[in-house]
Amino acid sequence: MTSIPTPFDAVWPTVDAIPGWLTHEQAGVLHDAALAAGPGARVVEIGSHLGRSTVTLATALPEGAVLTAVDPFGPDWRYGLEDTEARCREHLASAGVAHRVDLRVATGREVLAGWHEPVAVVYVDGKHDYLSVVADLRWERHLVPLGRLLVHDAYSSLGVTLGLLRVLLTTSRLRYVGRTGSLAVLEHARPTLRDRARAVVPLPWFLRNLVVKVLLRLRLAALARRLGHDGPDDPF
C-alpha cells in the first residue's frame, strides 16, 4: 500500500485520543519532521508506549517511507502494563497506519546493534535513565546529513537532561537546534561553540521543572501553580 501523508490538523483528533504526554505543539514538530524526511526514507522511533507519537509520525510519512517503532513493552517499566503492546497495535490499526509501521518489540540498543540503513529522523522517548538516553542517542551514527534527532522529556527529566548534555557538549556530529516544551530538536551537523552554548540555555527551565515535580509529589500543587505549572501531570 502507498503512504499518503495526512495533514496534521486532520490527524490530531486521532492522536489526542491516545493516552500519552505529547502535546499538540510537540506532535506538530514530529509530524513536520517525518513529512520532511522525503520519499522512501526511514524514520525510527525509540519508545512507542500506546502509540501517540507513533501515529503522529506514521500519518506524515511520504511515499514509500517506513517508520520503525521500537519498544520492549515491558510491564516492569514505570508506565508499562501487560496490555500495552496490544493497545498500541490497536491504536495503529484504528488510525489506519499499521501497514506503515515496522513495530519491533525490543530495546533501542538491541535494534541498533544490527542496524545498517541510513535514517532521516530519529525520535527518542525510551527509558529516561542516563545510560539508556546516551545509548539511544547513538542512533545519530545512522542519520543522513542534516537528519533530525528529536528527544522528548529533554530538560524535564534528570536522566534525559544529563544524557543529552553529555552528548551535545562532547559530540562533533550533533547540533542543538531548539526545543518545543521538553521536546529538543537536534540536527546531524557539526556544532559550533554557539550551538553548544545554546544547549545549556534551557537549564533554568529544567531546574524549575525539577522543583515542580517535587512539589507535585509532596501534593503541593498550589505552590507548583505559582511557578506557572497547571495540572496534575509533570511538566513536559
Side-chain angles (χ1 to χ4, degrees):
M1 299 177 67
T2 59
S3 297
I4 301 175
T6 306
F8 178 68
D9 289 344
V11 76
W12 172 247
T14 299
V15 171
D16 197 31
I18 301 172
W21 298 271
L22 192 72
T23 68
H24 176 274
E25 293 77 13
Q26 293 167 351
V29 172
L30 287 189
H31 191 274
D32 289 347
L35 186 62
R42 176 74 65 164
V43 176
V44 172
E45 173 189 63
I46 308 300
S48 301
H49 191 48
L50 295 175
R52 188 175 175 96
S53 57
T54 320
V55 170
T56 300
L57 292 165
T59 53
L61 292 176
E63 179 69 33
V66 176
L67 169 63
T68 294
V70 181
D71 196 309
F73 295 108
D76 56 335
W77 191 51
R78 181 178 177 184
Y79 299 109
L81 297 171
E82 293 290 347
D83 64 345
T84 300
E85 179 187 351
R87 291 176 66 193
C88 179
R89 292 185 183 276
E90 288 173 4
H91 291 145
L92 297 183
S94 296
V97 297
H99 65 286
R100 306 184 191 181
V101 181
D102 167 27
L103 187 60
R104 304 196 186 187
V105 182
T107 66
R109 196 177 324 201
E110 290 168 344
V111 176
L112 178 61
W115 192 270
H116 302 288
E117 297 180 44
V119 179
V121 178
V122 176
Y123 173 57
V124 174
D125 190 19
K127 289 189 71 174
H128 287 10
D129 62 282
Y130 171 83
L131 293 178
S132 295
V133 172
V134 171
D136 288 339
L137 291 178
R138 293 194 181 110
W139 275 89
E140 59 81 18
R141 69 184 65 168
H142 293 291
L143 278 175
V144 300
L146 301 182
R148 290 292 172 97
L149 195 157
L150 305 103
V151 184
H152 198 244
D153 289 315
Y155 305 107
S156 68
S157 167
L158 182 61
V160 180
T161 304
L162 292 179
L164 180 65
L165 289 178
R166 153 72 169 77
V167 171
L168 285 178
L169 296 179
T170 59
T171 184
S172 62
R173 297 187 296 269
L174 282 175
R175 75 178 193 93
Y176 176 78
V177 175
R179 69 177 176 88
T180 299
S182 71
L183 179 67
V185 179
L186 318 179
E187 189 174 68
H188 192 254
R190 181 175 291 276
T192 64
L193 287 177
R194 175 176 287 187
D195 293 327
R196 296 189 195 277
R198 289 174 62 244
V200 303
V201 169
L203 284 181
W205 188 73
F206 160 66
L207 294 174
R208 170 262 189 193
N209 288 341
L210 289 187
V211 172
V212 166
K213 287 184 176 183
V214 171
L215 292 175
L216 292 178
R217 280 150 184 75
L218 293 175
R219 299 184 179 181
L220 298 173
L223 290 179
R225 284 195 293 272
R226 292 187 181 184
L227 294 177
H229 182 72
D230 185 24
D233 296 321
D234 288 345
F236 58 91

